[in-house]
Amino acid sequence: MRSMLRWTPWLTLAAPLALAVMTTLAVVDAYTPAPFQDYWDTLYWWREAVRKGFPWSWLPSQHNEHRILLPRLVFLADFAWFRGTNVLNMAVIALTQALGALLFLRAGLRRGGALAIVGTALALGLIVSLVQWENLFWGFQVQMTGVAATAAWAIWHFSHADADGANRAGRLGAAVLLLAVATFTMANGLFAGIAMVLAGLAARRNWRSLALVGALTAGLMGLYLWGYHPVASHSPASAALQDPAGFVTYALNYLGNPCALGDRPRAAAFGAIGTALTAAMTVLVFRDRGRDPAQLAMFGIVLFAGMSAAATALGRLSLGLEYSLSSRYATGACYFWAAQALFWAFRVQGWSRVFQWALGAAFVTALLVLFKVQDTHRPGLEDADRRIERAVAAMVSGRADDEAFKSLYPDPDKVRYLGDFLCEQRMSVFARRPDDAPPCPRLTTQ
């Protein structure tokens, strides 16, 4: 009987495996080589490169608030080597999600114990959840999954630097390198450096390490802001002061999204719970000086996700609270709750059995809810797939269906003239067009 109970927690790992299979099948079924939304802007620059030579200044230039230099290199490689079919983009998204899952798997299984195993199962289930479906099927979202994974690993290495005396320099070097990668993957990558400093201050870690990371973060911020210009269509910084309740609600909705099942009040409630738990984490880390590097790393990841939520609320508040539950923001929130789960699993292991059983029951319940989350968000993915396929059918047949093209990009004129370019180059939806096919239909002349 005891042997059976000892192995029972391991059975919970079947849940994230099942969720991963469900998510993978849904995303593969919805796969499309067609450019979608902001990816048309990237395609425009590829056309410029083909016709006029590569515009190098474009690589570090802004995309909204972001400098997505490294994702753009992935996009260019997909254009050059995979004919713009999104194959490389999707592979990189899968890889970065796997790297994120590996961090939580490593942290939980190295600790061992029933509660850590169940917490690991929940963390993995969140990372593979379909709540973030836009980031998993839309090739342009390399930066969303990439910044979360690289920031989390940067914080992990920093948190372990002081505890790994033999390889302290290597740990700090890895943290610094990953911080630079995160910064030029997406704007909130800079928050990884701030999270490391804040977590290190709470844990009263080695001041030299804090100074190094702080100086690098400041340097990266200066480099990032060189030539930076505000985005006119997004909320100004003053919006949070003009509507503080809306700002707080937006950030709470962002954090509570994975648990909300599409309901904004429920999202705000879970976001408030997560915020309260983060405050408790801060007190505990300060009290024990962050003696456990794994707990400190989870705390840092939570801080990173919390700052990402606040920054998103600041920049997108003017678009309306309905956008706070967008699936594209859910990856950061999934990391937030995955880190919460493991932090408290590690912490409660030394407490009374009542606390351990209660937390274990909460983890199992959350795992079961994640299956409901799959059902809640699958229709959004399927609807997007249907709309894209309608637009693709119009493009391939040479029918300028502007209403359908708006499913691909708000400006149908861009779809039409870049669609002609795709056909000429036999890229994307035209990648399998034979060399001896009839001339491309001209969408721009209809």
Side-chain angles (χ1 to χ4, degrees):
M1 183 68 177
R2 288 184 178 179
S3 177
M4 183 181 298
L5 289 174
R6 190 179 302 116
W7 283 99
T8 299
W10 291 95
L11 298 178
T12 61
L13 292 173
L17 180 60
L19 289 166
V21 171
M22 294 167 65
T23 295
T24 300
L25 291 175
V27 170
V28 169
D29 186 58
Y31 161 77
T32 175
F36 183 60
Q37 297 297 343
D38 299 45
Y39 205 40
W40 287 94
D41 296 328
T42 303
L43 180 60
Y44 168 82
W45 287 106
W46 178 253
R47 190 191 70 162
E48 293 298 291
V50 169
R51 294 183 175 180
K52 302 178 183 178
F54 191 76
W56 292 102
S57 61
W58 166 71
L59 280 176
S61 66
Q62 278 181 243
H63 177 82
N64 293 329
E65 303 94 339
H66 312 287
R67 297 192 189 275
I68 54 173
L69 188 154
L70 295 174
R72 279 173 172 165
L73 292 177
V74 176
F75 305 151
L76 294 176
D78 187 71
F79 289 146
W81 300 331
F82 296 90
R83 294 191 176 185
T85 55
N86 270 323
V87 169
L88 182 60
N89 301 336
M90 300 299 291
V92 172
I93 288 171
L95 176 62
T96 51
Q97 286 296 89
L99 288 173
L102 179 62
L103 185 150
F104 294 110
L105 183 66
R106 177 181 180 183
L109 297 191
R110 283 183 66 182
R111 177 58 55 92
L115 200 54
I117 294 169
V118 180
T120 301
L122 177 56
L124 296 177
L126 285 160
I127 298 303
V128 301
S129 171
L130 201 58
V131 68
Q132 55 195 316
W133 61 267
E134 281 184 283
N135 296 338
L136 303 180
F137 105 105
W138 178 14
F140 183 75
Q141 297 299 79
V142 164
Q143 65 264 25
M144 283 287 194
T145 59
V147 72
T150 52
W153 274 105
I155 293 167
W156 174 268
H157 284 296
F158 173 80
S159 300
H160 284 74
D162 287 350
D164 190 359
N167 193 33
R168 181 172 176 274
R171 290 280 195 181
L172 286 175
V176 164
L177 176 61
L178 288 166
L179 172 59
V181 170
T183 297
F184 289 97
T185 296
M186 202 169 178
N188 60 325
L190 277 167
F191 297 149
I194 300 173
M196 285 188 266
V197 172
L198 292 177
L201 287 172
R204 288 163 283 181
R205 283 297 176 90
N206 184 293
W207 69 267
R208 292 183 180 86
S209 301
L210 292 176
L212 172 66
V213 173
L216 177 69
T217 302
L220 286 171
M221 186 175 296
L223 185 61
Y224 195 92
L225 294 176
W226 185 272
Y228 181 89
H229 57 82
V231 181
S233 60
H234 294 166
S235 306
S238 59
L241 297 176
Q242 295 168 357
D243 185 11
F247 169 75
V248 171
T249 301
Y250 199 112
L252 294 180
N253 287 352
Y254 177 115
L255 293 176
N257 190 0
C259 322
L261 298 173
D263 181 71
R264 288 209 301 273
R266 187 184 291 120
F270 275 104
I273 292 171
T275 302
L277 289 173
T278 304
M281 293 169 76
T282 306
V283 173
L284 293 173
V285 168
F286 182 80
R287 283 176 54 185
D288 67 11
R289 292 177 173 268
R291 66 174 182 269
D292 182 348
Q295 288 185 39
L296 185 62
M298 296 304 115
F299 176 53
I301 293 169
V302 164
L303 292 179
F304 164 76
M307 285 185 282
S308 299
T312 302
L314 189 64
R316 301 296 189 273
L317 183 58
S318 62
L319 300 180
L321 287 176
E322 61 271 19
Y323 286 95
S324 62
L325 294 188
S326 172
S327 66
R328 71 188 65 179
Y329 303 142
T331 297
C334 285
Y335 272 75
F336 176 85
W337 286 105
Q340 288 274 6
L342 281 187
F343 179 93
W344 292 107
F346 297 159
R347 198 81 197 186
V348 172
Q349 276 186 333
W351 296 3
S352 72
R353 287 189 176 275
V354 173
F355 283 107
Q356 294 185 46
W357 279 100
L359 188 59
F363 286 169
V364 171
T365 301
L367 267 173
L368 295 176
V369 170
L370 286 178
F371 285 91
K372 177 64 175 176
V373 169
Q374 299 290 102
D375 294 334
T376 301
H377 292 277
R378 185 180 291 106
L381 173 60
E382 293 172 346
D383 179 63
D385 182 38
R386 283 192 295 270
R387 289 185 288 107
I388 290 170
E389 288 305 311
R390 175 189 166 192
V392 168
M395 191 187 307
V396 171
S397 66
R399 179 167 43 89
D401 186 342
D402 284 358
E403 194 60 36
F405 289 167
K406 288 179 181 178
S407 298
L408 297 177
Y409 192 78
D411 180 4
D413 287 340
K414 178 170 282 191
V415 176
R416 283 189 284 151
Y417 73 73
L418 288 177
D420 289 343
F421 169 74
L422 289 176
C423 188
E424 292 166 5
Q425 299 292 316
R426 295 200 303 280
M427 293 175 59
S428 184
V429 297
F430 300 99
R432 295 186 179 181
R433 184 179 174 85
D435 293 339
D436 58 352
C440 292
R442 304 297 298 181
L443 295 169
T444 51
T445 60
Q446 299 187 31

